[in-house]
């Protein structure tokens, strides 16, 4: 492709979308294929998978803590006690429902939105 043709392609409105798709595909599919190739050789009770689960759980806990303690955007308007209370009661609902994640998430979300509306925020 000549320099003029490359420049014309880079100036096209669709070019950023092509780059997003290609870069997104390359960044994720490589790891998926590696996972497929390696998954058959791993045992579910291996120390490595235990470590992976612990790291993933810690990352999720960190994101949740950050959203509760240091929110950004519209969530900043909700008081801290409401954010903590909704999370705690969502966790209680999660446990009471036999560790069904959807129950905990929907409970916490309903309490947060309901509290937000009740406070007129």
């Amino acid at each position: 492709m000549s320099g003029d043709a490359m420049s014309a392609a880079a100036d096209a409105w669709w070019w950023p979308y092509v780059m997003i798709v290609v870069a997104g595909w390359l960044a994720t599919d490589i790891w998926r294929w590696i996972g497929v190739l390696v998954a058959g050789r791993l045992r579910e009770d291996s120390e490595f998978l235990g470590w992976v689960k612990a790291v993933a759980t810690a990352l999720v806990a960190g994101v949740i803590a950050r959203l509760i303690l240091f929110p950004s955007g519209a969530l900043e308007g909700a008081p801290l006690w409401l954010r903590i209370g909704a999370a705690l009661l969502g966790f209680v609902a999660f446990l009471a429902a036999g560790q069904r994640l959807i129950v905990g998430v929907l409970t916490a979300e309903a309490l947060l939105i309901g509290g937000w509306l009740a406070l007129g925020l």
Side-chain angles (χ1 to χ4, degrees):
M1 193 180 264
S2 70
D4 290 335
M6 287 184 69
S7 177
D11 290 338
W13 66 269
W14 49 266
W15 186 247
Y17 299 106
V18 170
M19 288 306 297
I20 289 170
V21 169
V22 171
W25 173 77
L26 286 175
T28 59
D29 263 20
I30 290 171
W31 296 108
R32 288 180 186 155
W33 281 105
I34 291 172
V36 167
L37 294 173
V38 173
R41 298 184 193 125
L42 293 175
R43 291 183 21 225
E44 282 187 48
D45 59 345
S46 71
E47 284 188 37
F48 176 71
L49 283 183
W51 176 81
V52 168
K53 183 178 178 182
V55 169
T57 302
L59 287 170
V60 170
V63 168
I64 292 170
R66 187 176 190 292
L67 285 171
I68 293 171
L69 299 175
F70 307 107
S72 61
L75 195 55
E76 270 183 305
L80 179 61
W81 63 265
L82 179 60
R83 296 189 307 257
I84 292 174
L88 286 175
L89 291 173
F91 182 65
V92 168
F94 163 76
L95 293 176
Q99 296 188 357
R100 293 186 61 211
L101 185 61
I102 190 70
V103 172
V105 169
L106 291 178
T107 300
E109 189 172 335
L111 290 170
L112 183 63
I113 293 170
W116 198 330
L117 293 173
L119 293 172
L121 303 174

